[in-house]
Amino acid sequence: MSEQQTRTSRLAALPLRDELRGQAPYGAPQLAVPAMLNVNETTYDVPSDVVDAIAKEVRRAAESLNRYPDREFSLLRQKLAEYLNRELARDASDFGAAALQLTGEHIWAGNGSNEVMQHILQAFAGPGRSVMSFPPTYSMYPLYARGVYSDYIAGTRGPGYTQTPDDVAAQIRAHRPHVVILCSPNNPTGTALDLAVVEAAYEAALDTETMVIVDEAYGEFRQPGRPSALTLLPGRPQLIVTRTMSKAFALAGGRLGYLAAAPEVTDALRLVRLPYHLSAITQAAACAALDHAADLMANVERIKAQRDRIVVELRGMGLDPYPSDSNFVFFGGLLNEKDAWQHLLDDGVLVRDVGIPGHLRVTAGTEEETTAFLTSLARLAENSTAGVTAER
């Protein structure tokens, strides 16, 4: 018996919760290859001045590690509100609307958006309650539900994995979930929702006593002309918009996720959070990054340029990329996605097989990484035995 089989056998012998038996943990391959384009990180290094600023603030925080951190992470919440207000002001200018003003009372944060989602579900889902999302979407949503003993409801999407206001609203009214999660831009398809879908979902939620979460982990990468669901927050106390600093801020290793919602929502989350859940080090690093948001956002524009380049060049190969508002591209047209994945890996490019036949997902990286991906895939597309097909 192999070591892994032995460990599996020992795990099965533990008094594990029944719903966890036979389950596999969430994860993606972590392989040392030149172009790691499989988990939607920002592949640009953190700028040196930002590194210096983070190191300075972390050192300052280290001087008082004998004391508990600010339980309310007040400075961080204030800085996150200021950052979102700048974005909201830009949206208001573009669309001729009044700018919403968020305060720290509207903000909550956790160790990555995963913990933020866990807090939301601990407060509003739980045993005897249900959580709904719309696959294909972020694969952690069912695991979040399972972790709080909630039933998971898999909604459906239309052609091309699209969502319409009437269909989403009808599904919410039919299933009456306690929490519904809309992912925009959606992972793995990369597509952003029209705000009419969010509005329709919210109207249905009022009829069913449902909390509506819009997961905007990739919000900073949206195409021009697509406002954030943050603009819908006024007068909607059952709406929550989640964000992360893992993507646009290149802080995946820092683990800081956050949300904006009505102040009574953040009050609800205080009922379930563990004491001092955000360390002084995490708070210091995140505050320093927010102070240098402009430097970090410069890389966002570079990433968006490579994303758009990927879409154009994949179409030129006869493949079928989906329109993307994120920092990755989901594409179809592959006769065998597993062979394509291995071909790319053999060339030193790691992408994501998301389990959808004929499709793969690639992170938009640096210009050099993007070139390596496109060059490798072009060779595959030219190979008559691997081939491509025009069907989605």
Short mmCIF file of all heavy atoms in Angstrom, two decimals, residues 180-221:
data_model
loop_
_atom_site.label_atom_id
_atom_site.label_comp_id
_atom_site.label_asym_id
_atom_site.label_seq_id
_atom_site.Cartn_x
_atom_site.Cartn_y
_atom_site.Cartn_z
N VAL A 180 -27.73 33.88 -1.89
CA VAL A 180 -27.44 33.63 -3.30
C VAL A 180 -26.16 34.37 -3.65
O VAL A 180 -25.95 35.52 -3.24
CB VAL A 180 -28.62 34.05 -4.22
CG1 VAL A 180 -28.87 35.55 -4.16
CG2 VAL A 180 -28.36 33.63 -5.66
N ILE A 181 -25.28 33.70 -4.39
CA ILE A 181 -24.00 34.29 -4.77
C ILE A 181 -23.95 34.47 -6.27
O ILE A 181 -24.09 33.51 -7.04
CB ILE A 181 -22.81 33.41 -4.32
CG1 ILE A 181 -22.91 33.08 -2.82
CG2 ILE A 181 -21.50 34.12 -4.62
CD1 ILE A 181 -21.87 32.10 -2.35
N LEU A 182 -23.76 35.72 -6.69
CA LEU A 182 -23.56 36.06 -8.09
C LEU A 182 -22.10 36.45 -8.26
O LEU A 182 -21.61 37.33 -7.56
CB LEU A 182 -24.46 37.23 -8.50
CG LEU A 182 -25.96 37.05 -8.27
CD1 LEU A 182 -26.69 38.37 -8.52
CD2 LEU A 182 -26.52 35.95 -9.16
N CYS A 183 -21.41 35.81 -9.17
CA CYS A 183 -19.99 36.07 -9.38
C CYS A 183 -19.83 36.95 -10.61
O CYS A 183 -20.20 36.56 -11.72
CB CYS A 183 -19.25 34.74 -9.56
SG CYS A 183 -17.45 34.88 -9.53
N SER A 184 -19.27 38.15 -10.41
CA SER A 184 -19.16 39.10 -11.52
C SER A 184 -17.92 39.98 -11.35
O SER A 184 -17.86 40.78 -10.40
CB SER A 184 -20.41 39.97 -11.60
OG SER A 184 -20.33 40.89 -12.66
N PRO A 185 -16.94 39.84 -12.24
CA PRO A 185 -16.83 38.90 -13.36
C PRO A 185 -16.79 37.46 -12.85
O PRO A 185 -16.21 37.18 -11.80
CB PRO A 185 -15.52 39.29 -14.03
CG PRO A 185 -15.28 40.71 -13.63
CD PRO A 185 -15.82 40.83 -12.25
N ASN A 186 -17.41 36.59 -13.64
CA ASN A 186 -17.55 35.20 -13.21
C ASN A 186 -16.27 34.41 -13.43
O ASN A 186 -15.57 34.59 -14.44
CB ASN A 186 -18.70 34.54 -13.99
CG ASN A 186 -18.98 33.13 -13.51
OD1 ASN A 186 -19.14 32.90 -12.32
ND2 ASN A 186 -19.03 32.18 -14.43
N ASN A 187 -15.98 33.55 -12.50
CA ASN A 187 -14.87 32.61 -12.61
C ASN A 187 -15.48 31.21 -12.78
O ASN A 187 -16.26 30.80 -11.91
CB ASN A 187 -14.03 32.66 -11.33
CG ASN A 187 -12.86 31.72 -11.35
OD1 ASN A 187 -12.57 31.06 -12.33
ND2 ASN A 187 -12.17 31.64 -10.22
N PRO A 188 -15.26 30.51 -13.91
CA PRO A 188 -14.13 30.65 -14.82
C PRO A 188 -14.39 31.38 -16.13
O PRO A 188 -13.48 31.49 -16.95
CB PRO A 188 -13.79 29.19 -15.13
CG PRO A 188 -15.14 28.54 -15.20
CD PRO A 188 -15.96 29.21 -14.12
N THR A 189 -15.60 31.85 -16.40
CA THR A 189 -15.88 32.36 -17.74
C THR A 189 -15.34 33.77 -17.98
O THR A 189 -15.15 34.17 -19.13
CB THR A 189 -17.40 32.36 -18.01
OG1 THR A 189 -18.05 33.20 -17.05
CG2 THR A 189 -17.95 30.94 -17.91
N GLY A 190 -15.13 34.54 -16.92
CA GLY A 190 -14.57 35.88 -17.07
C GLY A 190 -15.58 36.96 -17.39
O GLY A 190 -15.22 38.14 -17.49
N THR A 191 -16.83 36.60 -17.56
CA THR A 191 -17.86 37.55 -17.99
C THR A 191 -18.45 38.29 -16.80
O THR A 191 -18.67 37.72 -15.73
CB THR A 191 -18.98 36.82 -18.75
OG1 THR A 191 -19.36 35.66 -17.99
CG2 THR A 191 -18.50 36.36 -20.11
N ALA A 192 -18.76 39.58 -17.01
CA ALA A 192 -19.38 40.40 -15.97
C ALA A 192 -20.88 40.42 -16.17
O ALA A 192 -21.39 40.31 -17.28
CB ALA A 192 -18.83 41.82 -16.02
N LEU A 193 -21.61 40.56 -15.06
CA LEU A 193 -23.06 40.64 -15.11
C LEU A 193 -23.52 42.06 -15.43
O LEU A 193 -22.95 43.04 -14.93
CB LEU A 193 -23.66 40.24 -13.77
CG LEU A 193 -23.69 38.76 -13.40
CD1 LEU A 193 -24.23 38.61 -11.98
CD2 LEU A 193 -24.55 37.99 -14.38
N ASP A 194 -24.56 42.15 -16.23
CA ASP A 194 -25.27 43.41 -16.35
C ASP A 194 -25.91 43.70 -14.99
O ASP A 194 -26.43 42.79 -14.33
CB ASP A 194 -26.35 43.29 -17.43
CG ASP A 194 -26.98 44.63 -17.78
OD1 ASP A 194 -27.56 45.24 -16.87
OD2 ASP A 194 -26.90 45.03 -18.95
N LEU A 195 -25.87 44.95 -14.55
CA LEU A 195 -26.44 45.27 -13.24
C LEU A 195 -27.93 45.00 -13.17
O LEU A 195 -28.49 44.85 -12.07
CB LEU A 195 -26.15 46.72 -12.87
CG LEU A 195 -24.68 47.06 -12.56
CD1 LEU A 195 -24.58 48.46 -11.96
CD2 LEU A 195 -24.05 46.05 -11.62
N ALA A 196 -28.59 44.90 -14.33
CA ALA A 196 -30.02 44.55 -14.33
C ALA A 196 -30.24 43.17 -13.73
O ALA A 196 -31.28 42.91 -13.11
CB ALA A 196 -30.59 44.61 -15.75
N VAL A 197 -29.27 42.28 -13.89
CA VAL A 197 -29.37 40.94 -13.30
C VAL A 197 -29.32 41.04 -11.78
O VAL A 197 -30.09 40.40 -11.07
CB VAL A 197 -28.25 40.02 -13.82
CG1 VAL A 197 -28.29 38.66 -13.12
CG2 VAL A 197 -28.37 39.83 -15.33
N VAL A 198 -28.40 41.86 -11.27
CA VAL A 198 -28.29 42.04 -9.83
C VAL A 198 -29.56 42.67 -9.27
O VAL A 198 -30.07 42.26 -8.22
CB VAL A 198 -27.06 42.89 -9.49
CG1 VAL A 198 -26.93 43.06 -7.97
CG2 VAL A 198 -25.78 42.26 -10.06
N GLU A 199 -30.07 43.67 -9.96
CA GLU A 199 -31.30 44.33 -9.50
C GLU A 199 -32.47 43.36 -9.47
O GLU A 199 -33.26 43.34 -8.51
CB GLU A 199 -31.62 45.51 -10.42
CG GLU A 199 -30.63 46.66 -10.28
CD GLU A 199 -30.89 47.77 -11.28
OE1 GLU A 199 -30.92 47.49 -12.50
OE2 GLU A 199 -31.05 48.92 -10.85
N ALA A 200 -32.59 42.52 -10.50
CA ALA A 200 -33.67 41.54 -10.54
C ALA A 200 -33.51 40.51 -9.43
O ALA A 200 -34.48 40.10 -8.79
CB ALA A 200 -33.72 40.85 -11.90
N ALA A 201 -32.27 40.09 -9.19
CA ALA A 201 -32.01 39.13 -8.11
C ALA A 201 -32.39 39.74 -6.77
O ALA A 201 -32.97 39.06 -5.90
CB ALA A 201 -30.54 38.73 -8.11
N TYR A 202 -32.09 41.00 -6.60
CA TYR A 202 -32.41 41.65 -5.32
C TYR A 202 -33.91 41.76 -5.12
O TYR A 202 -34.42 41.53 -4.01
CB TYR A 202 -31.75 43.02 -5.23
CG TYR A 202 -31.81 43.58 -3.82
CD1 TYR A 202 -30.84 43.22 -2.89
CD2 TYR A 202 -32.85 44.40 -3.42
CE1 TYR A 202 -30.90 43.69 -1.59
CE2 TYR A 202 -32.92 44.88 -2.12
CZ TYR A 202 -31.94 44.52 -1.20
OH TYR A 202 -32.00 44.97 0.09
N GLU A 203 -34.63 42.11 -6.16
CA GLU A 203 -36.09 42.19 -6.04
C GLU A 203 -36.68 40.83 -5.66
O GLU A 203 -37.59 40.75 -4.83
CB GLU A 203 -36.70 42.69 -7.35
CG GLU A 203 -36.42 44.16 -7.64
CD GLU A 203 -36.90 45.07 -6.53
OE1 GLU A 203 -38.06 44.94 -6.11
OE2 GLU A 203 -36.10 45.92 -6.06
N ALA A 204 -36.15 39.78 -6.27
CA ALA A 204 -36.61 38.43 -5.91
C ALA A 204 -36.23 38.10 -4.47
O ALA A 204 -36.99 37.44 -3.74
CB ALA A 204 -36.02 37.40 -6.87
N ALA A 205 -35.06 38.56 -4.05
CA ALA A 205 -34.58 38.29 -2.70
C ALA A 205 -35.49 38.92 -1.65
O ALA A 205 -35.66 38.37 -0.55
CB ALA A 205 -33.16 38.80 -2.53
N LEU A 206 -36.06 40.07 -1.96
CA LEU A 206 -36.97 40.70 -1.01
C LEU A 206 -38.20 39.84 -0.76
O LEU A 206 -38.75 39.83 0.34
CB LEU A 206 -37.38 42.08 -1.53
CG LEU A 206 -36.28 43.14 -1.59
CD1 LEU A 206 -36.84 44.44 -2.17
CD2 LEU A 206 -35.66 43.38 -0.22
N ASP A 207 -38.60 39.10 -1.80
CA ASP A 207 -39.77 38.22 -1.67
C ASP A 207 -39.44 36.95 -0.91
O ASP A 207 -40.33 36.29 -0.36
CB ASP A 207 -40.31 37.84 -3.05
CG ASP A 207 -40.81 39.05 -3.84
OD1 ASP A 207 -41.15 40.06 -3.21
OD2 ASP A 207 -40.85 38.96 -5.09
N THR A 208 -38.15 36.57 -0.88
CA THR A 208 -37.77 35.27 -0.32
C THR A 208 -36.86 35.38 0.90
O THR A 208 -36.32 34.38 1.36
CB THR A 208 -37.06 34.43 -1.40
OG1 THR A 208 -35.90 35.15 -1.87
CG2 THR A 208 -37.98 34.18 -2.59
N GLU A 209 -36.64 36.59 1.41
CA GLU A 209 -35.77 36.81 2.57
C GLU A 209 -34.38 36.23 2.33
O GLU A 209 -33.84 35.47 3.14
CB GLU A 209 -36.40 36.24 3.84
CG GLU A 209 -37.73 36.88 4.20
CD GLU A 209 -38.30 36.38 5.51
OE1 GLU A 209 -37.75 35.40 6.05
OE2 GLU A 209 -39.28 36.97 5.99
N THR A 210 -33.82 36.62 1.19
CA THR A 210 -32.52 36.12 0.75
C THR A 210 -31.47 37.22 0.80
O THR A 210 -31.75 38.36 0.41
CB THR A 210 -32.62 35.60 -0.70
OG1 THR A 210 -33.58 34.54 -0.75
CG2 THR A 210 -31.29 35.08 -1.22
N MET A 211 -30.27 36.89 1.26
CA MET A 211 -29.14 37.80 1.14
C MET A 211 -28.49 37.59 -0.22
O MET A 211 -28.28 36.45 -0.65
CB MET A 211 -28.11 37.55 2.25
CG MET A 211 -28.61 37.83 3.65
SD MET A 211 -29.04 39.57 3.95
CE MET A 211 -27.43 40.37 3.82
N VAL A 212 -28.17 38.67 -0.90
CA VAL A 212 -27.56 38.61 -2.23
C VAL A 212 -26.10 39.06 -2.12
O VAL A 212 -25.83 40.19 -1.70
CB VAL A 212 -28.30 39.49 -3.24
CG1 VAL A 212 -27.59 39.48 -4.60
CG2 VAL A 212 -29.75 39.03 -3.39
N ILE A 213 -25.19 38.18 -2.52
CA ILE A 213 -23.77 38.51 -2.55
C ILE A 213 -23.34 38.64 -4.01
O ILE A 213 -23.62 37.76 -4.82
CB ILE A 213 -22.92 37.41 -1.90
CG1 ILE A 213 -23.39 37.12 -0.48
CG2 ILE A 213 -21.44 37.79 -1.91
CD1 ILE A 213 -22.72 35.89 0.14
N VAL A 214 -22.67 39.73 -4.34
CA VAL A 214 -22.03 39.87 -5.64
C VAL A 214 -20.53 39.78 -5.39
O VAL A 214 -19.94 40.66 -4.76
CB VAL A 214 -22.39 41.19 -6.34
CG1 VAL A 214 -21.74 41.25 -7.72
CG2 VAL A 214 -23.91 41.32 -6.47
N ASP A 215 -19.93 38.71 -5.86
CA ASP A 215 -18.50 38.45 -5.67
C ASP A 215 -17.74 39.14 -6.80
O ASP A 215 -17.74 38.69 -7.93
CB ASP A 215 -18.25 36.94 -5.68
CG ASP A 215 -16.80 36.59 -5.41
OD1 ASP A 215 -15.94 37.50 -5.39
OD2 ASP A 215 -16.50 35.39 -5.25
N GLU A 216 -17.09 40.25 -6.46
CA GLU A 216 -16.33 41.03 -7.44
C GLU A 216 -14.82 40.90 -7.21
O GLU A 216 -14.08 41.89 -7.21
CB GLU A 216 -16.74 42.50 -7.40
CG GLU A 216 -18.14 42.77 -7.93
CD GLU A 216 -18.43 44.25 -8.11
OE1 GLU A 216 -17.67 45.11 -7.56
OE2 GLU A 216 -19.41 44.58 -8.80
N ALA A 217 -14.36 39.68 -7.05
CA ALA A 217 -12.93 39.47 -6.81
C ALA A 217 -12.07 40.06 -7.92
O ALA A 217 -10.94 40.49 -7.70
CB ALA A 217 -12.64 37.98 -6.67
N TYR A 218 -12.61 40.10 -9.14
CA TYR A 218 -11.88 40.62 -10.29
C TYR A 218 -12.42 41.97 -10.75
O TYR A 218 -12.25 42.37 -11.90
CB TYR A 218 -11.95 39.61 -11.44
CG TYR A 218 -11.42 38.25 -11.06
CD1 TYR A 218 -12.28 37.26 -10.58
CD2 TYR A 218 -10.07 37.97 -11.12
CE1 TYR A 218 -11.79 36.02 -10.19
CE2 TYR A 218 -9.57 36.73 -10.73
CZ TYR A 218 -10.43 35.76 -10.27
OH TYR A 218 -9.95 34.54 -9.89
N GLY A 219 -13.06 42.69 -9.84
CA GLY A 219 -13.77 43.91 -10.20
C GLY A 219 -12.92 44.96 -10.86
O GLY A 219 -13.39 45.70 -11.74
N GLU A 220 -11.65 45.09 -10.47
CA GLU A 220 -10.80 46.14 -11.04
C GLU A 220 -10.45 45.89 -12.50
O GLU A 220 -9.94 46.81 -13.18
CB GLU A 220 -9.50 46.27 -10.22
CG GLU A 220 -9.68 46.92 -8.87
CD GLU A 220 -9.99 45.94 -7.76
OE1 GLU A 220 -10.33 44.78 -8.07
OE2 GLU A 220 -9.90 46.32 -6.58
N PHE A 221 -10.70 44.69 -12.99
CA PHE A 221 -10.33 44.36 -14.37
C PHE A 221 -11.49 44.52 -15.36
O PHE A 221 -11.37 44.16 -16.53
CB PHE A 221 -9.81 42.92 -14.44
CG PHE A 221 -8.58 42.69 -13.60
CD1 PHE A 221 -8.68 42.19 -12.31
CD2 PHE A 221 -7.32 43.00 -14.10
CE1 PHE A 221 -7.55 41.98 -11.53
CE2 PHE A 221 -6.18 42.80 -13.33
CZ PHE A 221 -6.30 42.29 -12.04
#
